[in-house]
Amino acid sequence: MLGMQASSRRRARDEGEKPFWISFSDLMSALMVLFLVTMSVALLAVTKKVSDADREERERIEAIEELMDEVQRVVTQKEFEGVRIIGNTIDFGPRGKFEREGQNTLSPPQREVIRRFTPSLLDKLRNTKAGRLWFKRAVVEGYASQTGSYLFNLNLSLERSGRVLCELLRASPTLTDTLSEDDRKLIATKFFVGGASFNSLRADDEASRRIEFKLEFKTRQERKDEEKAPPPAVDDGRLTHALNVNNQCQIQDRLGR
């Protein structure tokens, strides 16, 4: 009898404990499922973010490549023979070569090729996706040969670069190829002067005395920052007044030797 009572009490106690352990097990299973779902959602969010960033960067690169392909089609025209596209750089090659050491003035052939080519470049910058969304600036780089001191050539290369902008912004001597006001405004706001002394030398001194246009493009982060905090707008009236085509270039002529 006592054995049967003890067995009954033990069975009653076991049956009383079973619901508790079943509930705890279910709770742990639910927590594990919740954890797995949360991790899955987090991984999907991270993966989507990385995928979106990769897609945006790929679209940016493709847009820039399409722009440079358009510019390449321009330089393949007969009148621009000798001009090359190297990456995002427009190398005028022998067409942009300064004839003499120390010279900072453009020869008539130099002026002609630069005045004819630049409006076509500006047209591509206005009418392509990369030009509208990603174009940051164009640096007009002047170079010099290794003859003379570094600082002399640094100043000379800056003068050569500045001379290019002078020729583009002022009236043409013949008045037949003066750039439009819109073109000159774009140059004034997006083209920068750069001097490289005798860095990036070529095989000989003559080839080193040259000019290049280097196109620079915004990164995705730069574009996002610009959208959040747009740069101050240029006063159009003041810019128009400042870009009088009859203004004289302030660079002292160096005819070289």
Side-chain angles (χ1 to χ4, degrees), residues 45-59:
V46 171
T47 303
K48 184 177 184 300
K49 185 176 181 180
V50 172
S51 299
D52 288 345
D54 289 343
R55 177 182 52 78
E56 291 172 1
E57 182 62 18
R58 185 168 60 253
E59 290 176 353

Side-chain angles (χ1 to χ4, degrees), residues 67-187:
L67 167 61
M68 298 313 298
D69 287 343
E70 291 287 328
V71 179
Q72 178 65 52
R73 279 189 275 274
V74 173
V75 303
T76 55
Q77 299 174 23
K78 183 67 175 177
E79 62 180 319
F80 301 127
E81 185 177 358
V83 181
R84 300 184 301 163
I85 304 298
I86 305 173
N88 296 338
T89 297
I90 301 159
D91 178 7
F92 287 91
R95 304 292 298 278
K97 182 184 66 177
F98 289 85
E99 297 172 345
R100 294 184 293 275
E101 297 283 358
Q103 177 185 353
N104 69 2
T105 58
L106 299 179
S107 64
Q110 278 180 304
R111 286 200 298 268
E112 181 179 5
V113 71
I114 289 171
R115 282 182 175 275
R116 288 184 178 275
F117 171 79
T118 304
S120 297
L121 171 63
L122 299 179
D123 181 65
K124 301 304 179 185
L125 293 176
R126 288 193 187 96
N127 297 305
T128 60
K129 182 178 179 180
R132 293 190 301 270
L133 299 181
W134 301 109
F135 177 61
K136 182 178 181 180
R137 63 185 179 184
V139 180
V140 182
E141 288 279 14
Y143 294 88
S145 70
Q146 205 167 358
T147 302
S149 70
Y150 181 91
L151 292 180
F152 173 83
N153 283 309
L154 178 62
N155 184 63
L156 176 62
S157 61
L158 285 168
E159 290 179 351
R160 287 173 171 172
S161 175
R163 181 70 67 174
V164 172
L165 292 188
C166 282
E167 293 295 341
L168 292 173
L169 294 176
R170 68 180 182 176
S172 167
T174 63
L175 299 180
T176 58
D177 55 355
T178 298
L179 272 65
S180 69
E181 183 176 338
D182 286 342
D183 282 351
R184 290 185 294 108
K185 285 181 178 180
L186 184 54
I187 290 170

